[in-house]
Amino acid sequence: AGRAWGSRGMEAAAGSCWAPLPVWRGLLRGLLLAVLAVGCCRGNSVERKIYIPLNKTAPCVRLLNATHQIGCQSSISGDTGVIHVVEKEEDLKWVLADGPHPPYMILLDGNLFNRRVMLQLKGTSRVSGLAVAVAKPSPPQGFSPGLKCPNDGFGVYSKDYGPQFAHCNKTVWNPVGSGLSYEDFDFPIFLLEDANETQVIKQCYQDHNVPREGSVPEYPLCAMQLFSHMHAVTSTVTCMRRSSLQSTFSINPEIVCDPLLDYNVWSTLQPINSSGKVDPEKEVIIVATRIDSHSFFWNIAPGAESAVSSFVTHLAAAEAVHKASDIHSLQRNIMFTFFQGETFDYIGSSRMVYDMEKDKFPLRLDNIHSFVELNQVALRNDSILWMHTDPVSRMNESVEVQVRNLLDILSNSSMGANVTLQEAGYSQPLPPSSFQRFLRARHIPGVVLTDHKTAFQNRYYQSMYDTPENIRMQYPEGLSPEEMLEYVTDTAKSLAEVATVVARALYRLAGGANNTSAIQADPKTVSRMLYGFLIKMNNSWFQSIIKPDIKGILGDVPQHYVAVSSPVNTTYLVQYVLANLTGTVVNLTKEECLSPEKTPSSEKEMYEYAWVQGSLDPNSTSRVPYCVRSTVRLSKALSPAFELRQWGSTEYSTWTESRWKEIRARIFLVASKELEIITLVVGIAILIISLLATYFINAKADVLFSIPRDPGAVAY
């Protein structure tokens, strides 16, 4: 009995020692997993303790055309550098020569963001990136990163047509243009949109990077990291070829660039069949303007003077013409046209001309009676609006007669108004304008209306400073957003006067014979549009006139960059504002409005129908939606070069935008190289020691984790 007990006791003792070994290993594994899980959960909080993200920034991105790449990019893993604040040109000496901790990330004062400074930074390896603070107030000397001769080579003037006017030989339209937007930088450049974030960076710089008592600043230093790696390189020809090959042979194609594209918005005074062709005998007057702008930084394109002033005036004129009682009996039709992508070598207008030539548009070029374009019109001196015409086509006698008639009607329409129209001069060429693309195809009588006789009045053309302040929009202090929406500014009154003159002239051109006093643009409507397109898109009026399913487009700060996804916010809003101002509310249910083809009297080919949100019911939080019938339509604004796959075209725009993986910026404290190396070496040493210890512990586990036998348990 004793033997039996002893034997079982020994087995039990042995079991208590050996059986738990896998359990110990399981516990260790579980502990390790728990540590990793906690690490994963706490990883973000650790990152937040190390890095301060910069959330309100705008990058400079890469754009490409048939021959070049322009813009900026970082390395694939982002670029890092020690921050140095540059507020005057003397501060550059530290970055370019004296500073002991290159490469540097420069926080550049907006007043120093010019071509001279940027080319200095471009030519050194001591700079890894740039963060630009917005200058407030705007630089008094002006700032335009665009070209001195915008859209050069894609207008009407060339060695074969008015060579004396080609390449702005006669008139330099944008004398303050530095061409900075058309340079290629191999380091990232970001705009700091938030003054608070700019102050955080400056404080970090003051605390860690400023030399004390003449000595070199010591580690840790405040650093910045910018991520903006671009996928496309060289030119549109290269990137489109690579994308095309990927699409053809790869299951998961990686597209590296996309064409700049969107939609043109157009409507007619008298409805036309959108799926048919206008009678060849029917004459149409085209009124045109652009709706896009650009600046050095991606999607920062306020375009107050370069775009918004003209298309708001155009919209107001369209509404005013529709007030005439006899519009359906006018001899000629009027087409209100809003072109997208004009900043980039006339994307929208060149596509419409192409479609007209190829019978892909309801109108043909032969239907065009005359052409009136509204260009920059907000910065008039002494209320003068200049009428520009093409001196080359006017050498044709019949064109000259029509142009002279057009000028006379415009001049007569301004009588009694606070706007004076004057001819810029017979020998003066056309400024950069969509009309030039139509003249390339056919001699059309036309006029371009601007606030400048020669060079632009706009000192901030294609820049981030072309803001409401640039066109002198001012509001009294203390107004709520709703009060600002309804407040009629002096700028609104001024543009309404221009819209009235244009509307009356269009009525006369179309053959109207009645008194034009009823044709009057509404300053209140102009005020609402200026507020919505320049200050805050997400306002009660815009909310009420759009479809419920696109209410997400109403962001806070309006921007008017053409982009690569379409339609962009501006296009949608111009479409629905135009429909609201010129359309008719019809008594249709939601189902009938959304499917008008089911209603026999809807004339679907002649009209477009939209079920819009409507205003808020005063007695509740719900809206009162309704159906709007209008002649407003969209047409493609994609350069014919991409339709024809002629990516190296010199006839059509070839602009593309590179794709990227991520855009972000952050600041943090960086240790010295020596400390980083020591940390790395110590870390590797600890890793090796840990691996060796683990190996030996595992190899001797049977010895290390065994329990000595109890001598009293031995059985005889």
Side-chain angles (χ1 to χ4, degrees):
R3 241 178 108 171
W5 180 90
S7 176
R8 290 193 187 99
M10 209 169 97
E11 287 172 5
S16 67
C17 174
W18 291 106
L21 186 57
V23 176
W24 279 99
R25 289 178 177 170
L27 287 171
L28 286 171
R29 288 195 192 100
L31 184 61
L32 180 60
L33 289 172
V35 170
L36 288 174
V38 171
C40 291
C41 294
R42 296 180 59 84
N44 287 335
S45 62
V46 171
E47 182 177 348
R48 284 196 296 270
K49 289 177 181 177
I50 297 173
Y51 300 104
I52 299 176
L54 304 174
N55 298 315
K56 293 280 288 180
T57 61
C60 160
V61 303
R62 175 167 289 165
L63 299 175
L64 309 98
N65 64 9
T67 55
H68 292 82
Q69 65 179 31
I70 64 171
C72 324
Q73 78 154 353
S74 73
S75 62
I76 195 166
S77 56
D79 288 325
T80 304
V82 173
I83 295 171
H84 190 73
V85 175
V86 174
E87 295 180 326
K88 53 187 184 297
E89 285 204 46
E90 292 74 19
D91 297 335
L92 287 171
K93 190 169 182 288
W94 181 271
V95 173
L96 298 175
D98 298 344
H101 306 119
Y104 285 96
M105 277 283 177
I106 298 175
L107 174 55
L108 187 68
D109 184 270
N111 289 296
L112 294 176
F113 185 54
N114 56 53
R115 185 178 182 85
R116 184 181 68 259
V117 169
M118 291 304 295
L119 291 185
Q120 287 184 65
L121 302 179
K122 184 179 179 180
T124 177
S125 60
R126 290 174 59 88
V127 174
S128 59
L130 203 66
V132 180
V134 178
K136 291 185 179 181
S138 302
Q141 72 277 13
F143 174 75
S144 172
L147 299 171
K148 292 183 183 296
C149 189
N151 291 357
D152 187 23
F154 290 86
V156 68
Y157 302 114
S158 65
K159 60 182 177 62
D160 302 317
Y161 188 100
Q164 69 273 31
F165 305 125
H167 312 300
C168 296
N169 286 335
K170 179 79 174 179
T171 306
V172 177
W173 296 106
N174 186 29
V176 297
S178 65
L180 199 58
S181 288
Y182 296 84
E183 290 288 333
D184 183 39
F185 296 92
D186 60 359
F187 52 79
I189 304 176
F190 279 53
L191 176 69
L192 300 173
E193 299 181 75
D194 188 346
N196 292 328
E197 290 189 343
T198 303
Q199 192 55 44
V200 167
I201 299 170
K202 287 184 176 180
Q203 190 60 52
C204 186
Y205 167 79
Q206 290 289 339
D207 293 344
H208 299 278
N209 296 9
V210 174
R212 307 293 178 191
E213 299 176 357
S215 62
V216 173
E218 297 180 357
Y219 286 99
L221 298 173
C222 191
M224 183 184 294
Q225 190 171 30
L226 303 178
F227 298 84
S228 63
H229 181 67
M230 300 288 131
H231 293 174
V233 294
T234 308
S235 68
T236 290
V237 176
T238 301
C239 79
M240 288 299 292
R241 185 179 66 245
R242 289 177 179 175
S243 296
S244 178
L245 288 171
Q246 284 272 343
S247 299
T248 305
F249 297 109
S250 176
I251 298 174
N252 298 308
E254 183 179 340
I255 308 302
V256 296
C257 68
D258 300 282
L260 295 181
L261 72 133
D262 202 71
Y263 287 91
N264 298 321
V265 182
W266 64 277
S267 74
T268 51
L269 187 65
Q270 301 163 354
I272 62 173
N273 189 335
S274 61
S275 59
K277 297 294 175 194
V278 173
D279 190 313
E281 305 301 318
K282 183 67 176 177
E283 293 182 322
V284 179
I285 301 156
I286 291 185
V287 197
T289 191
R290 68 174 60 190
I291 58 174
D292 68 296
S293 188
H294 180 46
S295 80
F296 186 87
F297 298 99
W298 182 76
N299 207 30
I300 299 295
E305 161 73 339
S306 61
V308 177
S309 68
S310 57
F311 75 69
V312 162
T313 305
H314 188 171
L315 288 164
E319 181 192 30
V321 173
H322 276 77
K323 292 177 180 177
S325 58
D326 59 340
I327 57 175
H328 292 291
S329 60
L330 293 176
Q331 176 187 350
R332 302 182 184 94
N333 204 347
I334 301 174
M335 186 169 106
F336 304 97
T337 314
F338 300 81
F339 291 120
Q340 260 288 14
E342 296 301 275
T343 303
F344 295 95
D345 300 336
Y346 306 116
I347 293 173
S349 56
S350 63
R351 179 53 186 261
M352 185 170 282
V353 171
Y354 174 82
D355 286 345
M356 287 181 175
E357 290 176 324
K358 302 299 180 183
D359 281 342
K360 296 180 178 180
F361 196 79
L363 268 67
R364 300 177 180 88
L365 289 170
D366 291 340
N367 291 116
I368 301 175
H369 169 267
S370 52
F371 199 104
V372 178
E373 180 169 353
L374 285 161
N375 213 307
Q376 304 179 81
V377 294
L379 298 176
R380 302 192 307 281
N381 281 334
D382 301 322
S383 298
I384 296 174
L385 206 60
W386 295 96
M387 301 182 290
H388 299 264
T389 58
D390 172 42
V392 179
S393 61
R394 288 182 70 177
M395 293 178 185
N396 181 297
E397 189 175 340
S398 64
V399 173
E400 167 62 19
V401 171
Q402 291 174 292
V403 170
R404 178 48 55 193
N405 178 58
L406 178 58
L407 295 173
D408 290 343
I409 289 175
L410 281 163
S411 296
N412 292 336
S413 298
S414 68
M415 290 181 179
N418 291 328
V419 180
T420 304
L421 271 75
Q422 292 186 15
E423 189 177 350
Y426 187 85
S427 60
Q428 177 80 16
L430 287 169
S433 52
S434 306
F435 181 40
Q436 293 200 31
R437 290 301 304 192
F438 284 80
L439 278 177
R440 283 177 73 132
R442 184 174 176 271
H443 281 178
I444 299 169
V447 62
V448 178
L449 302 177
T450 73
D451 56 20
H452 56 88
K453 182 179 182 181
T454 52
F456 295 161
Q457 296 276 14
N458 186 5
R459 294 173 299 139
Y460 305 109
Y461 183 74
Q462 289 185 7
S463 92
M464 56 191 170
Y465 300 113
D466 192 6
T467 58
E469 291 75 20
N470 186 34
I471 59 171
R472 303 164 191 149
M473 276 180 65
Q474 295 179 336
Y475 294 91
E477 293 286 337
L479 293 186
S480 68
E482 199 63 28
E483 289 170 335
M484 290 177 71
L485 174 67
E486 301 296 335
Y487 182 80
V488 180
T489 61
D490 290 339
T491 302
K493 293 175 185 175
S494 174
L495 293 180
E497 290 168 353
V498 175
T500 298
V501 170
V502 171
R504 290 174 178 176
L506 292 174
Y507 175 76
R508 292 290 184 216
L509 280 169
N514 293 341
N515 190 297
T516 58
S517 59
I519 300 176
Q520 185 80 37
D522 184 3
K524 193 166 188 176
T525 302
V526 175
S527 275
R528 286 178 165 185
M529 289 191 285
L530 288 174
Y531 179 81
F533 285 113
L534 286 174
I535 296 174
K536 188 176 182 181
M537 279 188 169
N538 193 11
N539 61 73
S540 60
W541 186 50
F542 278 4
Q543 289 167 9
S544 69
I545 64 174
I546 63 170
K547 290 181 177 180
D549 57 337
I550 62 166
K551 60 185 178 183
I553 68 169
L554 296 177
D556 279 336
V557 181
Q559 303 297 345
H560 307 293
Y561 173 60
V562 59
V564 296
S565 57
S566 59
V568 295
N569 300 6
T570 305
T571 302
Y572 269 131
L573 289 170
V574 168
Q575 177 188 6
Y576 285 103
V577 169
L578 183 59
N580 178 267
L581 298 180
T582 63
T584 306
V585 177
V586 290
N587 187 23
L588 294 178
T589 65
K590 181 178 180 180
E591 290 70 25
E592 290 171 335
C593 191
L594 295 176
S595 303
E597 65 278 359
K598 296 178 181 178
T599 306
S601 60
S602 67
E603 298 181 283
K604 180 69 174 72
E605 295 78 15
M606 309 294 284
Y607 296 100
E608 291 290 318
Y609 292 80
W611 185 258
V612 300
Q613 290 193 120
S615 302
L616 286 169
D617 189 325
N619 301 317
S620 72
T621 57
S622 61
R623 294 185 177 274
V624 184
Y626 55 92
C627 186
V628 175
R629 185 185 72 183
S630 72
T631 62
V632 181
R633 295 184 173 93
L634 301 180
S635 66
K636 272 188 182 179
L638 169 66
S639 171
F642 299 100
E643 198 95 341
L644 301 168
R645 295 176 68 87
Q646 296 176 358
W647 303 319
S649 173
T650 56
E651 170 72 12
Y652 299 113
S653 171
T654 56
W655 284 105
T656 55
E657 180 186 274
S658 173
R659 289 195 179 186
W660 57 82
K661 184 177 180 181
E662 64 175 344
I663 298 286
R664 60 192 174 102
R666 59 190 185 181
I667 62 172
F668 58 98
L669 293 181
V670 64
S672 66
K673 293 293 181 185
E674 293 79 4
L675 182 57
E676 288 179 345
I677 292 170
I678 291 170
T679 305
L680 177 63
V681 170
V682 170
I684 292 171
I686 291 172
L687 175 64
I688 293 171
I689 292 168
S690 300
L691 291 173
L692 290 172
T694 303
Y695 172 77
F696 284 115
I697 290 170
N698 190 59
K700 301 294 183 180
D702 55 339
V703 176
L704 294 173
F705 297 108
S706 65
I707 296 176
R709 294 183 180 182
D710 185 359
V714 178
Y716 292 94

